[in-house]
Amino acid sequence: MTGRLIYLVAGAVLGGYVVHRLNRTARAWSPEGIADRVEDRVADYRAALREFNEDVHAAMEQREAELLRLYSAERAAPGGALPRTARAQIHTHGANGAPEMKDGR
């Protein structure tokens, strides 16, 4: 009798677990479940892109500071002004308003 009771309880527990897993799988493959997974992936990609953008912006600011320091030092040189080619490269702007170097960089 005790053996039958143990099998009954084990069967009920196993059956409950199987039903739980099937319901969970059905929810994961439903349209809402798929949309949730896609939304999570998109959020991850957006976070990665935001981090990349911040890194690029920080590198750009660092390079800009280096260039300003370099050209400020040249202005303070005995000649007092930048060479004509350097001045032209600094003040040339592309179609989008961003500084553009004369040699196409």
Side-chain angles (χ1 to χ4, degrees):
M1 175 109 161
T2 307
R4 289 182 184 173
L5 185 60
I6 290 174
Y7 285 121
L8 177 68
V9 170
V13 168
L14 184 60
Y17 178 73
V18 168
V19 168
H20 167 72
R21 293 295 294 189
L22 288 174
N23 284 335
R24 192 166 144 189
T25 302
R27 267 187 269 123
W29 287 101
S30 70
E32 293 85 13
I34 292 172
D36 288 342
R37 284 199 313 265
V38 169
E39 186 177 326
D40 290 343
R41 289 275 170 95
V42 169
D44 291 344
Y45 289 136
R46 289 176 91 186
L49 284 173
R50 187 176 301 118
E51 184 177 333
F52 175 73
N53 189 26
E54 290 171 357
D55 291 344
V56 168
H57 187 69
M60 180 186 69
E61 286 180 342
Q62 180 182 2
R63 181 64 178 150
E64 184 178 330
E66 290 173 9
L67 290 173
L68 286 173
R69 191 171 46 251
L70 173 71
Y71 287 122
S72 295
E74 286 183 7
R75 282 194 180 148
L82 287 173
R84 184 180 186 110
T85 57
R87 219 176 310 124
Q89 286 179 349
I90 292 173
H91 297 293
T92 302
H93 294 281
N96 62 0
E100 184 179 85
M101 300 300 275
K102 285 281 190 185
D103 61 355
R105 285 187 276 163

